[in-house]
Amino acid sequence: MTDHMERVVALSKRRGFVFPSSEIYGGLQATYDYGPAGVELKRLIKDDWWRDMVREREDVVGLDASILMAARVWEVSGHVAGFNDPMVDCKTCKGRFREDKLEGSVCLKKKGKTPLECGGELTEPRLFNLMFKTKAGPIDEDAATIYLRPETAQGIFVNFKNVMDSTRVKIPFGVAQQGKAFRNEIVTGGQIFRMREFEQMEMEFFCAPGTDEEWHEYWQAERLRWWQDLGVRKAKLRIRPHGKDELAHYARGCGDIEYEYPWGWDEVEGVANRGDYDLSHHQEGSGRGLAYRDDEKKAWVVPYVIEPSGGVDRCFLTVLCDAYEEEVKPNGETRTVLHLHPKLAPTQVAIFPLVKKLGMPEKAQEIYADLKTRFRCLYDQAGSIGKRYARNDEVGTPFCVTVDGDSIEDGTVTVRHRDSLEQERVPAENLAAYLGDAMAAWTRE
Ligand code: GAP
């Protein structure tokens, strides 16, 4: 892990964003828990995606399919046969590594070396399926083997007809879903970047064959716009088209949205053209018609699918990495700050009395009670004002409001801006409007 990444990970634990799972028992590799600040940020990311992808669109509806599905789904979708990573074993250190990631792997015995450099003897590559198997049913021997879903997408494909029959949607339209997915990843790491249990936000956009390339372009541009609207810096985002040799078994084309992480450019979201691969296979596998009636062609047609597919956790890490900064203040001190977009800040306004006497706590509580109905607020009277500011900088609170002696006299309060460190006196009765305007005007270079 790079130094920068280590500091982001340390802050995420220190401030209650992300904890290693089962930590008191030594942890479980590649699984993480979200703390009080983290669960809030994660919800805000998911809500923003849902607003943008479903609520504010007339051509996309939502779905929440189950994690456990008939095993047949995964046979027909090609995941049982094709969702594999090529693995090699080292006969010397007994490690098992992904063949395509040998350069980034570490020998189990010679820690500074990759399996290509340590001199160990590697086996020929063998395919390793990434799906977790489990049993459904009370009696172990008779129970059916099923899988934990490795992508949410198949829940949408198998419900295509249900959605068509129960709503007024017409091609082209999309079905969006958020939910957990599971992969028995061989190479994990980058904290929540690659985990075995993670959450996806996916949308399958069904369109007429022949219009798919145009929609593919459209959705790549739309998704990049969403990432920028989230406050992630434009210069740190790019779209990289997949080479033919990298395409997943179902894809005709794919553009990855990539972010420049501390370790380099890496995928945050894929926007794939899945053609009619999934619906055609499920139509054949289930014997149920999964086509729509094309009135112009006077024929039944299996639609093509464009799929923007992002990871919630990977988005969370991207937002955190992008917001994190260690800054030298005008007085020479260093501060750690998260420049989160105010719409994503777990706390938007922190309200403090300068001291715990002279009517200041009462006045600050009054302001807190008023503002908390409009913003995510926190009241804090513990510790020095400097420490309270520093704590809130680290958790990304964009505005701190301090009630002091003058507030009791003239009804004004100090608003401190996280990013510029500017402080302004604002009449308490104008606070809500002032903060609303400042949040709406937020930008970042
Ligand atoms: N339905 C298509 C699909 O699942 P994918 O590229 O395998 O495509 C989509 O996954 C997104 O899910 C990725 O861009 C990434 O953000 C997230 N993702 C995939 N595997 C992950 C893992 N092991 N841990 C965290 N996020 C993951």
Side-chain angles (χ1 to χ4, degrees):
M1 219 186 275
T2 64
D3 264 13
H4 181 87
M5 187 61 193
E6 268 171 22
R7 291 202 290 269
V8 172
V9 170
L11 176 133
S12 72
K13 172 136 195 260
R14 184 166 76 241
R15 291 297 172 208
F17 283 98
V18 178
F19 306 132
S21 163
S22 320
E23 195 184 13
I24 61 169
Y25 290 103
L28 175 67
Q29 207 200 343
T31 50
Y32 287 88
D33 299 339
Y34 287 87
V39 71
E40 202 63 53
L41 173 55
K42 193 178 180 201
R43 258 170 206 261
L44 289 162
I45 288 172
K46 286 167 62 176
D47 287 351
D48 198 74
W49 186 92
W50 196 262
R51 174 194 58 73
D52 196 75
M53 295 293 274
V54 184
R55 296 235 168 93
E56 291 186 2
R57 294 195 66 104
E58 287 175 23
D59 55 356
V60 180
V61 293
L63 183 82
D64 186 8
S66 56
I67 289 172
L68 303 178
M69 301 174 76
R72 190 84 184 110
V73 171
W74 305 108
E75 289 159 17
V76 171
S77 69
H79 284 81
V80 171
F83 199 53
N84 301 308
D85 277 342
M87 305 299 300
V88 294
D89 288 306
C90 175
K91 292 183 184 167
T92 315
C93 76
K94 310 290 178 220
R96 177 170 283 180
F97 308 100
R98 248 173 81 167
E99 192 207 12
D100 56 340
K101 301 263 184 210
L102 285 174
E103 273 177 16
S105 304
V106 182
C107 168
L108 298 192
K109 286 211 170 126
K110 297 184 183 166
K111 291 290 180 205
K113 305 227 177 219
T114 73
L116 294 168
E117 299 163 339
C118 66
E121 193 191 338
L122 299 176
T123 61
E124 285 299 307
R126 274 178 296 207
L127 291 177
F128 180 87
N129 195 285
L130 296 184
M131 283 196 293
F132 279 101
K133 276 187 192 160
T134 188
K135 297 271 188 186
I139 302 163
D140 218 23
E141 304 82 69
D142 300 340
T145 295
I146 55 169
Y147 302 94
L148 300 188
R149 68 179 176 198
E151 60 169 10
T152 62
Q154 296 303 323
I156 297 178
F157 296 129
V158 301
N159 277 295
F160 171 74
K161 193 161 164 23
N162 282 337
V163 173
M164 283 284 278
D165 290 350
S166 60
T167 65
R168 296 173 63 80
V169 290
K170 286 221 164 9
I171 298 286
F173 73 91
V175 181
Q177 167 162 233
Q178 299 177 330
K180 290 268 186 176
F182 303 83
R183 294 181 191 178
N184 198 1
E185 300 277 7
I186 312 307
V187 178
T188 57
Q191 197 213 28
I192 56 175
F193 182 82
R194 186 169 285 110
M195 298 191 287
R196 299 208 167 104
E197 173 184 341
F198 57 100
E199 208 166 340
Q200 288 188 313
M201 13 193 208
E202 299 197 295
M203 196 271 289
E204 309 304 318
F205 193 79
F206 302 97
C207 61
T211 62
D212 50 307
E213 288 192 6
E214 209 176 305
W215 281 114
H216 194 203
E217 290 300 316
Y218 168 85
W219 279 110
Q220 290 179 72
E222 265 296 277
R223 296 304 305 143
L224 192 60
R225 193 249 330 135
W226 180 79
W227 279 93
Q228 288 165 13
D229 287 355
L230 217 51
V232 177
R233 287 167 293 172
K234 204 172 171 177
K236 296 279 214 169
L237 290 164
R238 71 177 186 193
I239 296 186
R240 188 184 66 80
H242 271 207
K244 284 263 176 285
D245 55 333
E246 307 174 71
L247 289 175
H249 64 272
Y250 49 73
R252 298 163 65 91
C254 186
D256 275 350
I257 300 180
E258 294 191 334
Y259 177 76
E260 192 178 14
Y261 290 100
W263 63 86
W265 291 96
D266 221 327
E267 173 192 344
V268 290
E269 173 166 344
V271 185
N273 181 346
R274 293 180 80 127
D276 63 357
Y277 179 93
D278 302 273
L279 288 183
S280 290
H281 278 78
H282 285 307
Q283 182 165 261
E284 204 180 309
S286 67
R288 302 287 184 92
L290 297 178
Y292 70 98
R293 182 78 190 162
D294 185 320
D295 291 334
E296 264 175 41
K297 289 192 182 130
K298 304 213 181 319
W300 289 92
V301 177
V302 176
Y304 274 26
V305 172
I306 306 302
E307 176 196 63
S309 167
V312 178
D313 316 87
R314 206 170 281 186
C315 177
F316 184 110
L317 180 65
T318 307
V319 165
L320 223 54
C321 284
D322 199 62
Y324 183 95
E325 197 174 357
E326 285 168 25
E327 237 175 48
V328 182
K329 289 199 282 187
N331 66 5
E333 285 171 15
T334 305
R335 71 164 182 154
T336 302
V337 55
L338 286 186
H339 296 288
L340 292 175
H341 191 304
K343 72 178 174 182
L344 296 185
T347 300
Q348 293 174 303
V349 191
I351 298 134
F352 316 140
L354 184 62
V355 291
K356 285 186 258 179
K357 54 187 180 187
L358 306 172
M360 292 179 215
E362 292 77 9
K363 177 79 185 158
Q365 283 280 6
E366 202 182 290
I367 291 172
Y368 168 70
D370 176 38
L371 291 183
K372 78 175 179 186
T373 58
R374 275 170 265 195
F375 306 107
R376 295 182 292 281
C377 291
L378 170 114
Y379 174 83
D380 186 6
Q381 58 175 33
S384 73
I385 197 80
K387 286 212 170 102
R388 282 180 267 172
Y389 284 151
R391 241 191 335 257
N392 277 282
D393 282 346
E394 288 206 348
V395 89
T397 306
F399 304 101
C400 292
V401 171
T402 303
V403 171
D404 56 18
D406 289 346
S407 313
I408 309 298
E409 299 289 312
D410 65 10
T412 63
V413 294
T414 302
V415 177
R416 176 202 184 254
H417 294 242
R418 173 199 68 198
D419 297 340
S420 64
L421 291 175
E422 273 167 26
Q423 302 203 4
E424 271 184 85
R425 292 298 297 187
V426 177
E429 71 260 28
N430 297 347
L431 255 182
Y434 174 90
L435 292 167
D437 289 348
M439 286 183 206
W442 184 88
T443 53
R444 189 175 175 209
E445 288 307 305

